Each structure stands twice: as C-alpha cells, then as structure tokens.
Amino acid sequence: MAIQEKLATGQGKFTPRYPELGTGPVSYDDAVSEEFFLAEREAVFKRSWLKVGRIDQLPRVGSYFTRELVGLGSIVIVKQADGTVKALHNVCAHRGNKVVWQEHPAEETKGSCKAFTCKYHGWRYGLDGKVDHVTNEDQFFDLDKGALGMPELHCDTWAGFIFVNFDPHAQPLRSFLGEKFTAVESYPFEKMTEHYGYKTKVKGNWKLSIDTILEWYHPPYVHGRFIDRDVSKAEKLVPPPDSYYYDLFTSHMLNSVPGPPQLPPRKPGELGPAQRNQRWIYKLLRAGLFGPDDVQDIGPLPDVLNPGNIKSWGNDAYWLFPNFSVQIWARNFYITYQYWPETVGEHSYELDIYFPPPRNAAERLAQEMTAQTTIEFAMQDSNTVEATHSALATGANREFHLSDQELMIRNFHKVVRDTVTTHQNLSSK
C-alpha cells in the first residue's frame, strides 16, 4: 500500500520509513552551543539559497530594497533595465561605506532610483553595481574604474520569490530546490497581492522556532483557548496523529495538515453546526485560523497539492532548507515563514500572509480576521520558544524524546548537523 494510502486510512508510523533518522532520544546541544552556531553560519547560511523577498517589491526598473542579514551582510536587491533582478553587496569600493541607507544605517530601506550614490564621498554606481562616477577621479593613482563596483552575489527567482546565495560556487537555484519544490511553481502566487506582515525578535535559537511549525502535537496546549473556549475540549478537536502526511526529500520537507470540513453555503449571519463552538468574532467575520469561510475562485491549481489525499485537507507546508516555508492553504491563500539567526539565543522571525484582493468589505474583514488569528498563534509559539531556549540553556536535561508526529523535527536537526559536519570535513582537507 502506498504511503499516502496508509496515512489516509490511519495505518502505520512514518519515522521508521526513514531508518537513517533513528527513533532514539535526540540532543538539543545544536540549539545552545555558541561554537555550533558559528559553524552553522559558515556551513549552512553562507552556502544555501536564502529567500529575501518577492518580485512584487520591484514594480519597475530601478526599484530596490535592502536586507540587513546579521552575520551575512547588507545587500541591495534591484531590478535591472532588462527586467532581471540583481543582488549587490551594499558596500562602496572606495572606503567600504554602506552605499544604500536613509536616516539610520542599520535599518532596511526601499525605493526607486537611476543610480546609487555613496553618502560619504559621492561615488556613484549604476543599477548593475558598476562604478560610473568617481569624485575627483584625477586625484587617484592608476585607478581602473571599470573594474570597480558593489560586488554581486548569486540571485535568482522561483515562483516570484527572490533568492540569494553568498557562496561563489553555489549550485543553480532550481537544482537546490529539487523536483518537488519546482512542481508547485504553477500555484497562482502572483494572484495573491493582499499582504499582511508580522516581524519580531525572539529570544531563542532559530531552530526552536522552526520546530514549533513542524508538528501539530502542541496546538491543544499552546493554542487551546483559540481552538475552543473550553480548553478541555481542545485536545479532542485537533485531528488525530495518523491523519497527517509527511514527505522528506533531500534537505527539504513537506507536511500536509487536515482542516475543518468545507463549510456549506449559508446566508450572512446564519450559523451552521461547525460554528457553534466558535467565538462570536469568528461567526461575525466568517473566518478563522484556516482562512475565510467564503473561498475565492483563483483558477486551476497544481495537481501536486494534497499529495496524501487527506480528507478535509487544510494546507501543504513546503519547507525549504534552511529557514523558509511556504504554506498553501485549501481556502486559497498562502503564508510564508522565515527565521534569521542573529546570535545563538536570538533570531528574527518573519511571517507574511497573502490573499487574493478582497472584492468587498466582508472579504476584507474575513482576511484581516485570518491574519490577526495567525499572528496571535505565532506570538504564542514565540513565547513557548523563549521558554524552551531558557530551559535548554541550563543543561539540566541533555536528551529529549520525539514522537512520530515530530518526525520532521528529527530530520531537520539531523540535516543541519550533517551539513555542518560535511563542511568541516571538507575544510580540514
């Protein structure tokens, strides 16, 4: 019987299907070790493709935005005259000043221009990063202006998402993504232009935040009061462990999640059985964590969605190593999650929610309700991460036990550790 058939019929566990993962206790030293954190930055973040934005942020030639990536550098993403996108290190070839910034050098910025001008001595750079003006050029010695510029780094796009890679020898983006990621490219991401964003700092290791989204073991406890006003009932309302689907491929992963049954059409203000336990605000705005009740038609969808044939499918969460996830929801919207490590015990957390443009006030309110509910869940998860990190840092417990529902956590930490070990072995030769 195929894996998805076994899952859909509630048979079997997934972890034993990946014997290389084992089933024993795991160590979380990789989340609290300063030495491992520095090795991880070199092996993982400086050598992986990293999502830095969407093509929607660059509407015209000369549009740009900056990203301040702690431990990696400041970069400028800019649209070229031929419609392509370049990524440039945000550093001047003269004295090393940051070229693109506004009032505060450490803050990210965006805009549109014909050229970039360094605020220190007025050197100017074209959109391609090459120097096209040197102030008092005749005062320099044997200056080869044509060889100077803001250094370029690898940049490519997939499904409208912009990626960069700091490794000069990086493999092509599509090779890195693999077949299962590229297969979902036909999803109509470009139709989802209504955007809600949330960004915060979390006092915990970045991997611990990812762990919270890799399993649905915790919702009855962390999010219990959102699931039902009677917390004792929340556990029963969360789908059973064998109703989820998992797939591990190369360094990336996918999990599919069941959701509430598709609601039948009903008149505004009319309540059906599925709404009896909801809070009044969900009833009024006809929306909640799983999206608006009234689903917009966004056209044909890829055949690859819901690969586990889950009844009452809720979403597919595609996880791109190391720090990016795209969640495609059955109610025709999507969410992205991204985690940027800053220290071993702190990271930046970005959550972005995209809907089709609302056609009326009711649809807009439903989208806002979904966004606010999602953000509230994210804040609850972040609190848990901070509690986890502070406890792990004591070293009182050194081994931890993962269930079959936490298969993806086991795999994620193994892939990170293996990537660090491989890089260290190659560097020592």
Side-chain angles (χ1 to χ4, degrees):
M1 185 181 290
I3 290 177
Q4 57 264 38
E5 292 175 336
K6 288 190 175 183
L7 183 67
T9 55
Q11 299 179 31
K13 293 182 179 179
F14 265 70
T15 307
R17 302 179 190 279
Y18 301 92
E20 68 278 9
L21 297 181
T23 56
V26 300
S27 167
Y28 268 82
D29 287 349
D30 63 354
V32 294
S33 165
E34 178 71 28
E35 180 182 1
F36 187 86
F37 172 77
L38 296 176
E40 181 181 73
R41 178 178 285 167
E42 291 296 320
V44 175
F45 283 87
K46 290 187 177 180
R47 287 166 175 79
S48 297
W49 283 95
L50 307 170
K51 191 276 292 184
V52 292
R54 276 199 59 78
I55 200 71
D56 317 40
Q57 297 171 256
L58 305 174
R60 61 185 66 85
V61 173
S63 293
Y64 69 86
F65 61 88
T66 65
R67 292 304 309 262
E68 303 296 322
L69 307 179
V70 176
L72 300 174
S74 174
I75 60 174
V76 184
I77 312 298
V78 56
K79 191 168 189 177
Q80 304 296 299
D82 63 0
T84 60
V85 178
K86 282 187 181 292
L88 308 170
H89 285 278
N90 194 6
V91 58
C92 182
H94 173 220
R95 292 260 295 278
N97 191 52
K98 182 176 288 187
V99 177
V100 186
W101 55 281
Q102 299 301 328
E103 296 299 320
H104 304 285
E107 293 183 359
E108 294 180 344
T109 186
K110 62 183 179 180
S112 183
C113 66
K114 295 182 178 179
F116 300 115
T117 302
C118 181
K119 294 177 173 59
Y120 204 174
H121 297 96
W123 281 38
R124 191 171 64 236
Y125 300 83
L127 299 179
D128 59 0
K130 296 180 180 178
V131 169
D132 65 13
H133 169 76
V134 174
T135 307
N136 299 332
E137 184 177 350
D138 60 350
Q139 295 295 303
F140 288 84
F141 305 92
D142 303 319
L143 190 68
D144 182 3
K145 188 170 69 175
L148 300 177
M150 299 165 66
E152 188 175 348
L153 63 157
H154 290 293
C155 183
D156 203 348
T157 61
W158 167 79
F161 296 100
I162 302 170
F163 290 82
V164 300
N165 196 312
F166 289 83
D167 183 1
H169 308 293
Q171 63 177 306
L173 174 60
R174 290 180 178 275
S175 174
F176 177 78
L177 292 171
E179 293 182 2
K180 293 188 178 181
F181 246 95
T182 54
V184 78
E185 187 171 19
S186 59
Y187 183 79
F189 294 104
E190 74 284 354
K191 294 183 179 180
M192 314 291 183
T193 56
E194 192 72 12
H195 172 231
Y196 296 82
Y198 168 74
K199 184 175 181 179
T200 191
K201 293 286 184 70
V202 181
K203 294 180 180 179
N205 187 267
W206 66 284
K207 295 186 293 296
L208 300 178
S209 266
I210 292 181
D211 289 351
T212 69
I213 312 295
L214 292 181
E215 50 88 0
W216 284 67
Y217 187 22
H218 72 276
Y221 315 104
V222 176
H223 312 302
R225 291 189 179 276
F226 263 81
I227 298 170
D228 192 280
R229 283 177 291 186
D230 183 349
V231 179
S232 66
K233 296 180 181 179
E235 189 172 32
K236 297 178 182 179
L237 293 174
V238 172
D242 60 357
S243 60
Y244 301 85
Y245 173 79
Y246 307 93
D247 191 6
L248 313 183
F249 39 99
T250 62
S251 299
H252 316 309
M253 303 180 289
L254 162 69
N255 72 313
S256 297
V257 175
Q262 187 64 45
L263 300 176
R266 54 190 172 88
K267 298 176 182 179
E270 179 186 359
L271 304 181
Q275 288 76 42
R276 287 174 184 165
N277 290 324
Q278 290 183 344
R279 297 183 180 188
W280 69 269
I281 190 70
Y282 298 154
K283 300 173 185 177
L284 176 65
L285 299 183
R286 296 173 58 80
L289 177 66
F290 280 79
D293 291 359
D294 305 307
V295 181
Q296 280 200 38
D297 181 4
I298 56 174
L301 299 175
D303 294 336
V304 296
L305 297 182
N306 190 17
N309 297 317
I310 294 176
K311 184 179 180 180
S312 298
W313 171 63
N315 71 64
D316 287 343
Y318 285 83
W319 284 93
L320 176 66
F321 183 79
N323 68 333
F324 178 59
S325 174
V326 181
Q327 274 188 359
I328 297 176
W329 290 72
R331 295 187 180 176
N332 292 348
F333 68 103
Y334 76 93
I335 303 175
T336 67
Y337 297 86
Q338 194 154 26
Y339 309 84
W340 295 100
E342 298 188 357
T343 68
V344 67
E346 186 171 65
H347 65 278
S348 176
Y349 173 21
E350 299 172 2
L351 187 158
D352 294 278
I353 310 168
Y354 299 86
F355 300 95
R359 295 167 296 189
N360 51 52
E363 287 188 352
R364 176 173 179 176
L365 289 171
Q367 291 178 358
E368 291 187 5
M369 184 73 252
T370 299
Q372 292 305 314
T373 303
T374 302
I375 291 169
E376 177 63 29
F377 269 61
M379 290 190 292
Q380 292 173 357
D381 284 334
S382 295
N383 280 342
T384 303
V385 168
E386 295 192 353
T388 301
H389 187 92
S390 63
L392 287 174
T394 68
N397 271 338
R398 302 299 295 273
E399 287 189 339
F400 302 90
H401 303 268
L402 302 182
S403 71
D404 195 55
Q405 292 174 265
E406 295 156 302
L407 160 73
M408 293 175 64
I409 296 175
R410 188 183 294 274
N411 181 69
F412 172 54
H413 284 261
K414 182 180 186 302
V415 171
V416 172
R417 291 193 301 268
D418 288 351
T419 302
V420 170
T421 299
T422 299
H423 175 67
Q424 290 175 333
N425 289 342
L426 290 173
S427 299
S428 64
K429 291 182 179 179

